């Protein structure tokens, strides 16, 4: 039997993992003398709640049980993705003679892509071959993550709800559905101000249905299960690419409207141009403005209405 034959067996296991919502990685351990498959494994971390249940670990464990020894001399482990450091350690300890993998893993591969764990030990060094049915292995992984991103992007946005005194109602609300009277959710506004006394404003994307092309500070809703300050950090990072610690944000005012509590944060920081990464579909331009420039835009009706209303109560705190 060829390496491709056994890799196809590993791909079948990886496909099953994908169907179960796991990262699609499959592995088979094979006796080199007889060609018998001694053990099989697929990723099961999510469904069984264990970080240890990588495909390689399960395949090695099954093979050792079948052989009646933890020493897997004269065996080959076929796996669809380059083993990580944990699995490479298990390969060394099990004395697996040969490792054949499909897709290279530049982020975490321990067979040479991110690190070569086998070069760091004198205990045991298996023979390594990578890239077997690489396109098929990569396609399975790519398809899985594309679907995962699509599901995440199209998942309805949920908000935690509060009463008029901001006590939790212990329930969530789907964005886009009208809020019941007397219920509120949390909105954040982040005013990012640099040492030149200028604030960062972004232009709302023309793809947005609501007020495209208007200027605004970072604004967004806090998601279910998220704290206000965590929401501020996330919204700033998503809309502008700027990452700052929670302690850098200062809550300067909270305003209650008909349907929300708006927490207004001031972030004093200098930002390098290469830090700015605008969120496609949300923001399409940015600039730093002083008080006069911002108020001129406001007077011309070019500032997003909620920001313009809130500004009157914030300007003394901002400037």
């Amino acid at each position: 039997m060829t390496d491709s034959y056994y890799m196809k067996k590993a791909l079948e296991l990886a496909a099953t993992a994908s169907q179960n919502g796991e990262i699609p990685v499959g592995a088979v351990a094979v006796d080199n003398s007889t060609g018998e498959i001694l053990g099989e494994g697929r990723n099961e971390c999510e469904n069984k709640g264990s970080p240890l249940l990588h495909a390689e670990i399960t395949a090695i464990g099954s093979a050792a049980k079948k052989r009646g020894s933890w020493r897997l001399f004269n065996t080959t482990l076929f796996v669809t993705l380059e083993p990580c450091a944990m699995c490479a350690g298990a390969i060394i300890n099990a004395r697996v003679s040969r490792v054949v993998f499909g897709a290279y893993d530049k982020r975490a591969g321990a067979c040479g892509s991110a690190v070569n764990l086998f070069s760091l030990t004198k205990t045991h060094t298996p023979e390594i071959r990578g890239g077997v049915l690489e396109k098929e292995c990569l396609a399975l992984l790519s398809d899985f993550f594309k679907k995962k991103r699509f599901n995440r992007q199209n998942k309805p946005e949920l908000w935690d709800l509060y009463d008029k005194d901001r006590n939790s109602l212990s329930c969530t609300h789907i964005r886009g559905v009208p809020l019941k009277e007397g219920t509120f959710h949390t909105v954040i506004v982040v005013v990012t101000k640099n040492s030149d006394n200028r604030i960062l404003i972004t232009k709302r994307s023309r793809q947005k249905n609501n007020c495209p092309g208007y200027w605004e500070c970072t604004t967004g809703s806090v998601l279910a299960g998220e704290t206000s300050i965590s929401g501020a950090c996330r919204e700033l990072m998503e809309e502008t690419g700027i990452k700052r610690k929670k302690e850098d944000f200062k809550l300067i005012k909270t305003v209650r409207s008909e349907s929300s509590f708006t927490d207004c944060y001031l972030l004093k920081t200098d930002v390098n141009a290469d830090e700015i990464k605008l969120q496609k579909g949300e923001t399409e331009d940015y600039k730093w403005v002083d008080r006069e420039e911002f108020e001129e835009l406001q007077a011309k009706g070019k500032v997003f209405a909620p920001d313009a209303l809130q500004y009157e109560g914030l300007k003394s705190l901002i400037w």
Side-chain angles (χ1 to χ4, degrees), residues 18 21-24 46 107 140-155:
S18 180
E22 301 279 354
I23 295 174
E46 299 293 338
R107 183 180 62 86
L140 193 58
L141 287 161
S142 177
D143 184 60
F144 174 82
F145 286 112
K146 281 180 181 177
K147 288 179 180 177
K148 190 172 183 179
R149 283 193 296 271
F150 177 83
N151 292 336
R152 184 168 60 243
Q153 290 166 0
N154 290 276
K155 186 177 180 181

Side-chain angles (χ1 to χ4, degrees), residues 192 194 198-203 215-216 276 278 285-290 293-294 297 302:
T192 304
N194 66 16
R198 289 175 172 269
I199 63 172
L200 177 68
I201 57 174
T202 56
K203 181 181 282 188
W215 291 95
E216 65 177 353
I276 304 290
L278 300 179
D285 196 7
Y286 76 95
K287 57 184 175 180
W288 294 89
V289 296
D290 59 22
E293 291 169 313
F294 183 83
L297 287 170
K302 294 184 178 181

Side-chain angles (χ1 to χ4, degrees), residues 14-25:
T16 301
S18 180
Q19 292 165 8
N20 293 337
E22 301 279 354
I23 295 174
V25 180

Side-chain angles (χ1 to χ4, degrees), residues 230-267:
S230 293
C233 292
R234 175 186 52 77
E235 284 288 347
L236 183 67
M237 187 272 292
E238 288 181 350
E239 291 190 8
T240 70
I242 299 171
K243 298 178 183 179
R244 294 295 185 270
K245 296 178 181 178
K246 294 178 182 179
E247 51 265 33
D248 295 330
F249 294 74
K250 179 182 179 182
L251 180 65
I252 56 175
K253 193 168 186 177
T254 296
V255 180
R256 194 186 81 179
S257 67
E258 291 183 0
S259 61
S260 68
F261 291 96
T262 300
D263 291 337
C264 304
Y265 291 91
L266 179 63
L267 172 66

Side-chain angles (χ1 to χ4, degrees), residues 118-134:
F118 302 121
S119 69
L120 303 178
T121 178
K122 296 180 180 179
T123 303
H124 175 71
T125 304
E127 177 188 340
I128 303 294
R129 182 188 179 195
V132 175
L133 299 187
E134 182 178 10

Side-chain angles (χ1 to χ4, degrees), residues 42-74:
R42 64 177 187 268
N43 271 7
E44 295 183 284
C45 298
E46 299 293 338
N47 287 291
K48 294 190 176 179
S50 172
L52 304 177
L53 293 180
H54 285 197
E56 301 95 313
I57 300 295
T58 303
I60 288 170
S62 298
K65 186 175 181 180
K66 187 165 186 176
R67 183 171 277 185
S69 171
W70 60 267
R71 296 178 178 86
L72 297 181
F73 295 121
N74 200 32

Side-chain angles (χ1 to χ4, degrees), residues 86-302:
M86 175 181 74
C87 295
I91 289 165
I92 292 169
N93 289 337
R95 308 298 194 270
V96 172
S97 305
R98 184 167 175 258
V99 177
V100 178
F101 64 85
Y104 290 85
D105 186 354
K106 293 181 180 180
R107 183 180 62 86
C111 298
S113 292
V115 65
N116 187 347
L117 196 67
F118 302 121
S119 69
L120 303 178
T121 178
K122 296 180 180 179
T123 303
H124 175 71
T125 304
E127 177 188 340
I128 303 294
R129 182 188 179 195
V132 175
L133 299 187
E134 182 178 10
K135 289 183 179 179
E136 292 86 342
C137 295
L138 281 173
L140 193 58
L141 287 161
S142 177
D143 184 60
F144 174 82
F145 286 112
K146 281 180 181 177
K147 288 179 180 177
K148 190 172 183 179
R149 283 193 296 271
F150 177 83
N151 292 336
R152 184 168 60 243
Q153 290 166 0
N154 290 276
K155 186 177 180 181
E157 186 174 298
L158 299 178
W159 302 335
D160 287 323
L161 290 184
Y162 303 87
D163 65 18
K164 62 182 179 63
D165 298 315
R166 209 169 184 177
N167 296 310
S168 173
L169 295 175
S170 299
C171 62
T172 57
H173 177 82
I174 299 175
R175 179 182 179 177
V177 177
L179 281 163
K180 292 182 180 179
E181 186 176 351
T183 62
F184 302 80
H185 74 289
T186 302
V187 173
I188 59 91
V189 173
V190 179
V191 180
T192 304
K193 181 181 176 184
N194 66 16
S195 56
D196 293 328
N197 210 33
R198 289 175 172 269
I199 63 172
L200 177 68
I201 57 174
T202 56
K203 181 181 282 188
R204 293 169 65 84
S205 171
R206 283 168 289 185
Q207 298 177 34
K208 294 183 73 69
N209 295 323
N210 185 19
C211 299
Y214 282 72
W215 291 95
E216 65 177 353
C217 294
T218 300
T219 305
S221 296
V222 174
L223 304 180
E226 191 176 48
T227 63
S228 172
I229 185 62
S230 293
C233 292
R234 175 186 52 77
E235 284 288 347
L236 183 67
M237 187 272 292
E238 288 181 350
E239 291 190 8
T240 70
I242 299 171
K243 298 178 183 179
R244 294 295 185 270
K245 296 178 181 178
K246 294 178 182 179
E247 51 265 33
D248 295 330
F249 294 74
K250 179 182 179 182
L251 180 65
I252 56 175
K253 193 168 186 177
T254 296
V255 180
R256 194 186 81 179
S257 67
E258 291 183 0
S259 61
S260 68
F261 291 96
T262 300
D263 291 337
C264 304
Y265 291 91
L266 179 63
L267 172 66
K268 294 183 179 180
T269 185
D270 286 318
V271 180
N272 296 323
D274 59 4
E275 288 186 77
I276 304 290
K277 295 178 177 62
L278 300 179
Q279 184 181 16
K280 187 177 181 180
E282 290 290 332
T283 53
E284 63 181 28
D285 196 7
Y286 76 95
K287 57 184 175 180
W288 294 89
V289 296
D290 59 22
R291 180 170 184 170
E292 182 180 350
E293 291 169 313
F294 183 83
E295 293 181 354
E296 184 179 346
L297 287 170
Q298 184 183 28
K300 292 179 179 179
K302 294 184 178 181

